[in-house]
Amino acid sequence: SAKPKTKSRSSCWLLQPRQLNNICIVFAELIATAMLMFLGCMGCIENSFFSNSNFQSALNFGFVVLICIQCFGCVCGAHLNPAVTLANYIYNMISLPMAISYFVAQMVGAFIGYGLLKAVMPESAIYSSSTSSGVCVTSLHSSLTGLQGVVIEFLITSALIAICCGVWDPRNAKNQDSVPVRFGLAIACLSLTAGQFTGASMNPARSFAPAIWNGAWENHWIYWVGPLAGALVSSLIYKYAFRREVQAQEEQESTMSTKRTSELEFA
Amino acid sequence: SAKPKTKSRSSCWLLQPRQLNNICIVFAELIATAMLMFLGCMGCIENSFFSNSNFQSALNFGFVVLICIQCFGCVCGAHLNPAVTLANYIYNMISLPMAISYFVAQMVGAFIGYGLLKAVMPESAIYSSSTSSGVCVTSLHSSLTGLQGVVIEFLITSALIAICCGVWDPRNAKNQDSVPVRFGLAIACLSLTAGQFTGASMNPARSFAPAIWNGAWENHWIYWVGPLAGALVSSLIYKYAFRREVQAQEEQESTMSTKRTSELEFA
Amino acid sequence: SAKPKTKSRSSCWLLQPRQLNNICIVFAELIATAMLMFLGCMGCIENSFFSNSNFQSALNFGFVVLICIQCFGCVCGAHLNPAVTLANYIYNMISLPMAISYFVAQMVGAFIGYGLLKAVMPESAIYSSSTSSGVCVTSLHSSLTGLQGVVIEFLITSALIAICCGVWDPRNAKNQDSVPVRFGLAIACLSLTAGQFTGASMNPARSFAPAIWNGAWENHWIYWVGPLAGALVSSLIYKYAFRREVQAQEEQESTMSTKRTSELEFA
Amino acid sequence: SAKPKTKSRSSCWLLQPRQLNNICIVFAELIATAMLMFLGCMGCIENSFFSNSNFQSALNFGFVVLICIQCFGCVCGAHLNPAVTLANYIYNMISLPMAISYFVAQMVGAFIGYGLLKAVMPESAIYSSSTSSGVCVTSLHSSLTGLQGVVIEFLITSALIAICCGVWDPRNAKNQDSVPVRFGLAIACLSLTAGQFTGASMNPARSFAPAIWNGAWENHWIYWVGPLAGALVSSLIYKYAFRREVQAQEEQESTMSTKRTSELEFA
């Protein structure tokens, strides 16, 4: 009775729902990235009217990531970040066409999200004494060289991707319940540590949108080279040195099923 | 031996326990919303005696939601919010009579909770220089127009409802353990981002109770139109574009059970 | 082959291990409560050398509860609090002799924990301008009457006990993973809301130890009457109005097992 | 069909993959400890340019531990700490050669991590008015004696090891999902309570690396004696007084399987 189902799957008519499904998935990634930019950057607003601190805005950015993963994690994985999509592609968890679609959705979504913020906020909230080039623009602190900046972005993105690889590891397949919380607090941590030095972007899309809306391109290359190189190196090292299949348990289970079958055979 | 039980279920005598059960459920929703208002608004108190900040009160409001869900989530779902009940109704998870009962319970519960706060707190804690119209009254910041305010409430409530839809998604059916923590931190985030602009109500009942106790009705329409419209749009988009049944796994399981049955048949 | 085991269980020799086991359990409760007092009160220290705030010390107290439950939750339940033990007794989850043992262990543990703090800390850390009667002594704010204070302690302890009842509810039996986190953040919330008004004790043992070490007995009755009355009322309401067995699922499972048995019978 | 697999396991050729695997595991421990030092100490930077507080840096250190466990917990357990490895050895969960390898990896990793921080940070971030002997150097507050300091380190490390023993307890075998979150918040708590008194090291490797890079050896013995003695005492007490096998359930399951087998036998 299972065969007819398998047949209907291979029929050409089912391609259309699959295409439609992929469009929904990419659309979810777009909304998730827009949400990341809108809420995350709103939480960075600081002027004479609205009190804020690096502590508060870093925690808030982490919690925004929690929200995005909670909302869309089951739909599209909620990468929110070309660096994560790159690592996902290296892990063979996404096809090249879908990875490119994700990248486009992330760029467009970030652009829309930041634009929405500019639309609903007064001018005084976007440009203030502490955010002269525009709120949420990632910039290098004057005490750091460009090389130090790109190394910091490389290292913190490596850490972010190692977190993803930990979540994707077969040995953690059953520990998915608190993933949004773990990601949220981890992003908060990375934002706390590096936020005052490089803005703790770890994400080209997150840096690109405020840059294009405000024309702030100083040291912008850092936020493409650092995160993407970090994602590449970190995911390759994790994949080949640390990733393990859960062979032992599978073997055990297969042994058990073999045993049961044999018991049935003897019966 | 299972048949007598099934019989007793269909007997008319069981309607009474079901009605009693529904009364308990609605009563739990009332207590939960009263708890939300009492604890949440107590955490917003700020005057010359009691130090506070937007950071602290926003985190606190999130943790209050955590408490309410932890206490009453298994009893009544702990909606706490007509906007969540609306989305729940759109998702066909609650009947219309129960949805209306929930709405009444939320309004009455919020009224009681805020009243209790006024009873146990000194006058100086309710009205201070920073909360002149009464603590916990949601109001629009003077730098924003009414339209900007309603759009912000629309957007943050859309995010809140997308979080709910994520929790309700069949693919997340087994990831319920940390739901109170995730909701708590998500509400903290939304309160942090929008708290200083609109009060981050996302909830007509939460805005109505302080308004009626303090007679503060300025821009009150925002807290009905924004949240309810956000709930409507967000739940409909999620339901038709993103929600998916876990068909694949079910089919697999049914295939497995079929296989086992056939094995037994052959035996 | 299972019968001999059952025999050895009913033999009188096994009483001794059970008694030893109970002594270990009560000893764990004692250490847990000592840990609560030592770490929780250390986190409340504030003087000219050590910066602190109500925000920080409230979050810290919550995280200390998280630690205690994480360490000893699987050993003794980590009640840490006579009010929780009272609710546990009302829920028929602990015998009267053990409940009394827990109460003694909590009082002795709290006394030891606070004493240890006094031993390792300089005098300037225990008594400062902001903690004149001794650090961690719970006291009523001067703007509140004794009645208001006892009502606040009654209400926040009711909330705490409702959280416990939620954890103990059969419907949440499988959602135990993040219990320490949920309790930690919930205690942080209750400490944030009421900490500046009554000290947010919710726990006679937690208030008694600093009182006896520092001879600070003003309004001390509040911290016995409020929490114990709150625990009594809250656990009784929850037990009779909200608590539900997971009948439906059990029946379903029993039906399934019946079905399987019948299948085997037919085979 | 299961026998050939068992054979190939015992063949000498499989030793090599096992050795390679152990090298990967020790390498992961090295990277994890380097990550702990780099991110944790970066989050402690405070000078005239970068705002910080004990509250922020303590929370951050906890979240860094969360990241390390999330990244490498499934690979090497992410001990990060000779005291944890000692307790792990007492629990018979690690062999002596591996424990020594872990210790070396932790020391080298901490050395590399702190060195990396010095490389990418300007001089003004490492040495400031509030961190005159170098950022992240653990030092004893002037109001405490050495004995008080070593007792505090002993007590907070005992608490940390009790948390580990709670995680390792057979009764918590299924509650692993939120372990990184629980550890993160627990470390944040211990850092909050003791951070201003002893630096809340709880970890010889974490104290050794900043000491050797900055030549700051004052009271350094405290951070070896306190944590290691605390780990020894705490793990032994927990192991012999509180640790329990989950016998009851196993027996029940074996009884069930026995029953099923007998049913099959009768069939």
Side-chain angles (χ1 to χ4, degrees), chain B residues 18 35-36 222:
Chain B
R18 197 165 290 170
M35 197 186 261
L36 174 78
I222 287 175

Side-chain angles (χ1 to χ4, degrees), chain A residues 55 144 148 151-152 155 162-163 167 171 175-178 182 186 189 192-193 196-197 238 241-242 244 251, chain D residues 9 21 24 27-28 38-39 42 50-51 56 59-60 63-64 67 70-71 74-75 119-122 177 181:
Chain A
F55 189 17
L144 294 176
Q148 286 176 320
V151 170
I152 292 174
L155 289 170
I163 297 167
V167 171
R171 290 167 290 190
N175 295 332
Q176 301 295 321
D177 189 273
S178 63
R182 284 182 257 150
C189 173
L192 273 177
T193 49
Q196 298 185 97
F197 301 103
Y238 205 104
F242 303 138
R244 293 287 180 278
E251 275 178 37
Chain D
R9 263 189 198 156
N21 197 33
C24 286
F27 182 53
F38 180 77
L39 292 175
M42 201 196 239
F50 309 112
S51 69
Q56 180 179 329
L59 270 187
N60 185 67
F63 295 164
V64 170
I67 290 179
Q70 171 58 39
C71 291
C74 66
V75 180
V120 300
M121 280 293 137
D177 189 274
V181 179

Side-chain angles (χ1 to χ4, degrees), chain A residues 264 267, chain B residues 257-267, chain C residues 259-260 263-264 266-267, chain D residues 264 267:
Chain A
L264 287 167
Chain B
S257 63
T258 311
K259 209 175 167 183
R260 279 182 196 159
T261 311
S262 58
E263 284 177 355
L264 286 167
E265 280 168 4
F266 285 118
Chain C
K259 209 175 167 184
R260 278 182 197 159
E263 283 175 356
L264 287 168
F266 284 117
Chain D
L264 286 167

Side-chain angles (χ1 to χ4, degrees), chain D residues 1-266:
Chain D
S1 62
K3 275 183 181 173
K5 278 181 186 167
T6 321
K7 259 184 193 171
S8 66
R9 263 189 198 156
S10 56
S11 78
C12 58
W13 285 102
L14 269 166
L15 283 172
Q16 275 192 325
R18 197 165 289 171
Q19 281 174 332
L20 190 66
N21 197 33
N22 281 351
I23 289 167
C24 286
I25 287 172
V26 172
F27 182 53
E29 183 74 18
L30 188 150
I31 295 181
T33 316
M35 197 185 262
L36 173 78
M37 291 309 288
F38 180 77
L39 292 175
C41 293
M42 201 196 239
C44 292
I45 290 173
E46 179 181 16
N47 65 13
S48 53
F49 300 117
F50 309 112
S51 69
N52 208 334
S53 67
N54 183 48
F55 189 18
Q56 180 179 329
S57 60
L59 270 187
N60 185 67
F61 226 104
F63 295 164
V64 170
V65 172
L66 181 158
I67 290 179
C68 295
I69 297 178
Q70 171 58 39
C71 291
F72 298 109
C74 66
V75 180
C76 61
H79 294 183
L80 314 168
N81 185 344
V84 174
T85 301
L86 174 61
N88 204 254
Y89 176 69
I90 290 169
Y91 257 63
N92 294 326
M93 293 170 75
I94 194 170
S95 68
L96 188 58
M98 277 302 274
I100 292 166
S101 307
Y102 266 52
F103 173 72
V104 173
Q106 286 156 1
M107 299 306 284
V108 174
F111 183 82
I112 291 171
Y114 195 84
L116 209 53
L117 184 72
K118 286 197 100 169
V120 300
M121 280 293 137
E123 187 89 0
S124 62
I126 304 296
Y127 303 103
S128 75
S129 60
S130 57
T131 58
S132 54
S133 55
V135 69
C136 221
V137 168
T138 50
S139 60
L140 194 64
H141 192 269
S142 58
S143 67
L144 294 177
T145 66
L147 181 63
Q148 286 176 320
V150 81
V151 170
I152 291 174
E153 282 291 326
F154 173 86
L155 290 171
I156 59 174
T157 312
S158 300
L160 171 65
I161 298 302
I163 297 167
C164 295
C165 295
V167 171
W168 298 336
D169 199 279
R171 290 166 291 190
N172 280 331
K174 288 183 181 169
N175 294 332
Q176 300 294 321
D177 189 274
S178 63
V179 161
V181 179
R182 282 181 259 152
F183 259 107
L185 297 179
I187 296 292
C189 173
L190 296 171
S191 301
L192 273 176
T193 49
Q196 298 184 98
F197 302 102
T198 67
S201 169
M202 305 171 270
N203 184 343
R206 178 246 174 278
S207 283
F208 186 76
I212 202 168
W213 274 100
N214 297 297
W217 299 102
E218 206 184 349
N219 292 309
H220 187 71
W221 65 276
I222 288 174
Y223 304 105
W224 286 85
V225 175
L228 292 176
L232 191 73
V233 172
S234 182
S235 58
L236 285 174
I237 290 177
Y238 206 104
K239 186 180 180 184
Y240 292 109
F242 302 136
R243 191 178 186 278
R244 293 288 181 276
E245 299 298 326
V246 277
Q247 294 174 316
Q249 204 177 339
E250 282 186 325
E251 275 178 36
Q252 196 184 349
E253 282 180 3
S254 65
T255 315
M256 277 169 68
S257 63
T258 312
K259 207 175 169 185
R260 278 182 198 159
T261 311
S262 59
E263 281 177 356
L264 286 167
E265 281 168 2
F266 284 119

Side-chain angles (χ1 to χ4, degrees), chain B residues 9 21 70-71 74 177, chain C residues 175 177-178 182 238 244 251:
Chain B
R9 262 189 199 156
N21 198 33
Q70 171 59 38
C71 291
C74 67
D177 190 274
Chain C
N175 295 331
D177 190 274
S178 63
R182 282 181 260 152
Y238 205 104
R244 292 288 180 278
E251 274 177 37

